[in-house]
Amino acid sequence: MTMWERLRNPCGWRAGAKQISVDAMIPIFAVPTLAIIAAQTVLCTIIIFIATPILVYYLHHNFLRFLLRTKFFLMWTITSVVMLMLIFEISVVPLLEILLEENLVFIMCVVGGIWCGYMTRLNADSATQEGSLTQGLELGEGSGELCITCRRRAPPKAHHCRMCQTCILNREYHCKWLDCCIGSSNLKWYLRCLFFSAIAFIYGSNLTMTSVCHPFKLIGTVLLPDDCSDVYHQLDIALCFISALYSLLVGLVVVCYLIYHLWLIYLGTTSNERRLLEAGSPYDHGMLKNVSRLFCCKT
């Protein structure tokens, strides 16, 4: 936990050296390595897709959760998006099975998801949170309650985040995969990020699978994969198939989370408020609840 990796800057930046934590470096090497191993055989694919969540949970439970703030999950997100995009454009598009307009729609969704994710992080900075808290005090009743952690007045619906070290108005949770808190200042951007990301992951997965597998026509020009038994004959084709499978799984999780947030908006509550209600419940869901929190980015 005390080890640090220094990357010397050959261009002579003002700081002289950039300091990057080891936990942030792990996904850069782990994600492509796991993808290559999974592309070897069907058995390797099954083992990697089962073992990876267990490994990430083990790292988080025994090491990462003791850090005040880790870039591990953010770097996992960035590395995964870059890897999937490169595989699609370098290996899938040259197969000439994808139309130009289909590729353009996919790229637009990817760019939209990245931009909305960036805006989600940008609107979660300390200055924006300060403005949200001030506005909340002006619109709320009284002078607000005193936060026992940061020793300041906060609106009734503000909750303290130990990672951001400030109170967040209408706090949902601290999203590990974007490394920022989701609250009133960036919830709209976060929902847009989920929307575009869900389309990009699922649509890209379908385009890839119908290119490397034998497709069948569902309705009109809509294709679905049928037989993927021969994808492991070539490493590049197998890597495309693995990326499509990974993208599909991530896309389904993102869709579930988008539906979950829309349901919370319909109920007029937040994820944090529901968590506080469940904390007072006599029922404990144990490890299953902790796993869902980890991979559905709740903190």
Side-chain angles (χ1 to χ4, degrees):
M1 293 176 63
T2 58
M3 294 177 57
W4 294 90
E5 183 73 22
R6 285 187 173 272
L7 298 180
R8 294 295 173 181
N9 180 14
C11 301
W13 285 358
R14 188 179 305 173
K18 296 299 176 183
Q19 197 175 56
I20 302 178
S21 59
V22 175
D23 57 292
M25 295 291 294
I26 293 175
I28 299 177
F29 301 99
V31 174
T33 302
L34 291 173
I36 294 174
I37 295 175
Q40 301 302 316
T41 61
V42 179
L43 181 61
C44 290
T45 301
I46 297 174
I47 292 176
I48 291 298
F49 273 85
I50 294 177
T52 299
I54 298 175
L55 177 61
V56 173
Y57 176 79
Y58 175 80
L59 288 174
H60 177 264
H61 184 74
N62 292 280
F63 302 103
L64 300 177
R65 69 188 181 99
F66 297 107
L67 300 176
L68 179 61
R69 196 161 184 174
T70 176
K71 299 291 184 181
F72 175 86
F73 298 97
L74 176 62
M75 291 306 300
W76 190 287
T77 301
I78 295 175
T79 306
S80 297
V81 171
V82 172
M83 183 191 72
L84 294 175
M85 190 68 179
L86 289 176
I87 291 176
F88 184 83
E89 295 298 332
I90 295 176
S91 298
V92 180
V93 173
L95 296 176
L96 303 178
E97 298 288 341
I98 298 175
L99 300 177
L100 177 61
E101 52 268 27
E102 293 176 331
N103 193 18
L104 289 176
V105 171
F106 171 72
I107 293 176
M108 289 174 59
C109 292
V110 172
V111 172
I114 294 174
W115 173 253
C116 292
Y118 169 75
M119 293 302 296
T120 301
R121 286 179 51 82
L122 186 65
N123 285 276
D125 61 8
S126 57
T128 305
Q129 298 296 346
E130 291 285 342
S132 298
L133 289 175
T134 303
Q135 184 179 6
L137 284 173
E138 293 175 353
L139 297 177
E141 298 179 357
S143 58
E145 299 179 355
L146 179 66
C147 177
I148 60 176
T149 306
C150 56
R151 308 298 299 173
R152 56 181 298 178
R153 295 289 177 181
K157 290 190 176 183
H159 299 276
H160 187 82
C161 176
R162 66 178 182 86
M163 294 186 179
C164 297
Q165 297 183 344
T166 186
C167 289
I168 309 296
L169 185 62
N170 293 325
R171 180 178 183 266
E172 296 284 345
Y173 45 76
H174 187 94
C175 180
K176 293 186 179 75
W177 304 102
L178 292 178
D179 191 33
C180 66
C181 251
I182 308 300
S184 60
S185 63
N186 59 357
L187 179 60
K188 292 182 180 179
W189 284 109
Y190 181 62
L191 293 177
R192 292 168 187 159
C193 177
L194 293 178
F195 175 75
F196 283 111
S197 298
I199 296 177
F201 281 121
I202 297 178
Y203 186 56
S205 174
N206 179 261
L207 290 177
T208 302
M209 284 193 176
T210 52
S211 297
V212 300
C213 301
H214 300 287
F216 73 94
K217 187 177 294 186
L218 181 64
I219 300 175
T221 59
V222 179
L223 300 177
L224 290 178
D226 186 15
D227 182 15
C228 300
S229 58
D230 56 351
V231 295
Y232 291 95
H233 293 168
Q234 291 180 245
L235 180 60
D236 56 340
I237 300 298
L239 195 59
C240 294
F241 175 74
I242 294 302
S243 68
L245 189 60
Y246 178 44
S247 180
L248 178 61
L249 294 176
V250 174
L252 292 177
V253 172
V254 173
V255 167
C256 292
Y257 233 68
L258 177 61
I259 295 174
Y260 173 69
H261 275 285
L262 294 177
W263 179 60
L264 289 178
I265 293 175
Y266 173 76
L267 296 179
T269 184
T270 63
S271 176
N272 189 71
E273 290 174 350
R274 290 185 61 84
R275 182 180 64 83
L276 293 176
L277 290 176
E278 292 174 358
S281 173
Y283 300 101
D284 184 16
H285 301 285
M287 181 178 177
L288 181 61
K289 185 176 180 180
N290 294 330
V291 172
S292 65
R293 276 184 169 185
L294 174 62
F295 292 101
C296 294
C297 62
K298 286 185 177 181
T299 296

